[in-house]
Amino acid sequence: MTPLLEARRVTKSYGRRRADRGHAPALADFSLTLDQDRPSITAVVGESGSGKTTLARLLLGLVAPTHGQVLYKAQDLRRMPRAAWRAFRRDVQAIFQDPYGVYNPFYRVDHVLTTPVLRFGLASSRAGARALIEEALTAVGLRPEETLGRFPHQLSGGQRQRIMVARALLLRPRVILADEPVSMVDASLRATILGSLHQMTLDLDISVVYITHDLATAYQISENLVVLYRGSVVEAGDVELVVKAPQHPYTRLLISSIPLPGTERTWTVDGAPEPAGEPATTGAGCSFVDRCPSAAPVCRQAAPPLYRTSPHRVAACYLYEGAPRLPPSELTRAFRAPGKPTSH
């Protein structure tokens, strides 16, 4: 069956950030396939500057790839006719990070809910539209009588973000791209929002691409995990394998940075991931070589391929040179199918 949404060997460079000038692209040779008949939750994690938001903008058609294609039902987003674009805009919805910046402060919050209802003809009457909106708000844990009619500044960050989840639900989309949807809300509300996203996959057959820097919530909600570093995939596969037994040195550093309870743990800065900036090495080698404790001479000569270290995991590291290689375009072959148990 034709994939619903597909990124096919996508590379994106901004302005003067060209690979042929010695600079790493924002996203390099990335592939992802979302099937029409198998809704799934895929998490994409990495520190700031790893290419996560660039990926979201590419999948939404907000920017065009420098190389490669983004396809909706086998149609290139850059060449789709108007009717296909309209279907794409309904099928692929976004939840952004800032729960205030997406609102116009001059409008009541009702505006972000009534606009898609009117634009896509979701209801034949005002009463029908009101019923749809109330149903969506209730689904994300909000009381319509306490929410509608207010201005954005009169609601909490958690309430504003849940309204955006409700807005996405109104359109009955096939895919939701959630870019850091809980990073700016209280910890007590994260479970509610993440629970809503998970329940959508189960009840409404909606696939979710969950983009975050938070490995803990990625592990909580997703089935498969993609770890990005400076625009490149360093590890991917079954979330249980990647989180509980990380193989790439960068993934190990990310896992080790997660705070754990216990007074016996001594905190130091040794080995902690550094802020993303311009790498010391901008050649053809591994993007992580300057921070890697296992770096070898070959790491500076050529970027490592994806090694399939188990049926449901790949790692881009020469430590696993004897394992079979997986072409970047076939990344999702290493994913665990939704509903299937973890395979070691």
Side-chain angles (χ1 to χ4, degrees):
M1 181 178 288
T2 302
L4 178 64
L5 187 63
E6 179 182 8
R8 184 180 294 174
R9 303 205 68 170
V10 167
T11 294
K12 179 62 180 178
S13 298
Y14 290 103
R16 296 183 177 180
R17 290 173 59 87
R18 304 290 183 182
D20 56 1
R21 297 179 183 175
H23 295 284
L27 191 68
D29 202 5
F30 183 89
S31 296
L32 180 69
T33 301
L34 300 179
D35 293 332
Q36 296 196 50
D37 59 340
R38 291 193 303 177
S40 60
I41 303 179
T42 303
V44 180
V45 302
E47 61 191 56
S48 297
S50 62
K52 304 186 304 296
T53 296
T54 293
L55 172 61
R57 292 173 63 83
L58 286 164
L59 293 177
L60 288 168
L62 300 179
V63 296
T66 307
H67 304 291
Q69 295 176 296
V70 179
L71 306 172
Y72 167 70
K73 295 183 178 179
Q75 299 181 84
D76 193 320
L77 295 189
R78 293 174 292 184
R79 299 178 179 88
M80 286 197 309
R82 184 182 296 270
W85 260 110
R86 183 176 176 82
F88 170 78
R89 289 300 183 202
R90 178 168 181 171
D91 280 349
V92 182
Q93 290 292 304
I95 302 171
F96 294 108
Q97 177 178 5
D98 186 353
Y100 189 80
V102 295
Y103 292 90
N104 185 329
F106 292 100
Y107 287 106
R108 300 180 191 275
V109 296
D110 308 40
H111 183 72
V112 300
L113 299 170
T114 56
T115 298
V117 172
L118 293 173
R119 180 162 295 181
F120 289 95
L122 303 181
S124 57
S125 65
R126 183 168 296 184
R130 177 80 181 197
L132 282 176
I133 290 171
E134 291 182 352
E135 179 184 358
L137 290 173
T138 302
V140 296
L142 291 174
R143 296 180 179 178
E145 66 275 10
E146 297 178 358
T147 306
L148 298 174
R150 296 192 176 190
F151 287 96
H153 70 271
Q154 295 177 310
L155 300 174
S156 69
Q159 288 173 314
R160 292 193 293 263
Q161 193 65 300
R162 279 184 283 173
I163 290 173
M164 298 314 297
V165 177
R167 179 186 183 277
L169 277 177
L170 275 173
L171 294 167
R172 293 293 189 265
R174 305 290 302 281
V175 178
I176 288 182
L177 301 175
D179 187 3
E180 301 274 15
V182 296
S183 64
M184 296 181 68
V185 301
D186 295 339
S188 60
L189 294 173
R190 292 179 184 177
T192 300
I193 295 173
L194 293 177
S196 297
L197 292 175
H198 187 264
Q199 202 62 37
M200 286 188 298
T201 302
L202 298 177
D203 297 343
L204 304 174
D205 292 338
I206 299 174
S207 289
V208 176
V209 179
Y210 176 63
I211 297 171
T212 183
H213 67 277
D214 187 347
L215 272 169
T217 58
Y219 176 76
Q220 176 185 348
I221 191 176
S222 67
E223 298 154 342
N224 293 288
L225 181 67
V226 179
V227 183
L228 291 178
Y229 180 75
R230 297 197 191 280
S232 299
V233 175
V234 296
E235 190 166 352
D238 185 342
V239 66
E240 292 284 342
L241 299 179
V242 175
V243 172
K244 292 187 176 180
Q247 292 185 332
H248 194 279
Y250 175 64
T251 314
R252 292 173 184 167
L253 284 177
L254 284 181
I255 299 296
S256 67
S257 70
I258 298 175
L260 298 175
T263 57
E264 70 282 356
R265 180 167 183 175
T266 302
W267 287 95
T268 67
V269 296
D270 297 336
E274 302 167 3
E278 287 298 322
T281 299
T282 56
C286 175
S287 58
F288 191 61
V289 63
D290 293 301
R291 295 169 57 187
C292 182
S294 304
V298 66
C299 301
R300 296 184 179 275
Q301 298 168 7
L306 293 174
Y307 292 107
R308 196 168 189 173
T309 58
S310 71
H312 297 303
R313 191 228 297 267
V314 292
C317 183
Y318 285 114
L319 292 173
Y320 311 101
E321 195 167 4
R325 298 186 180 190
L326 186 69
S329 59
E330 300 178 11
L331 176 66
T332 50
R333 286 181 54 194
F335 285 4
R336 174 171 60 89
K340 290 189 176 182
T342 298
S343 173
H344 297 271

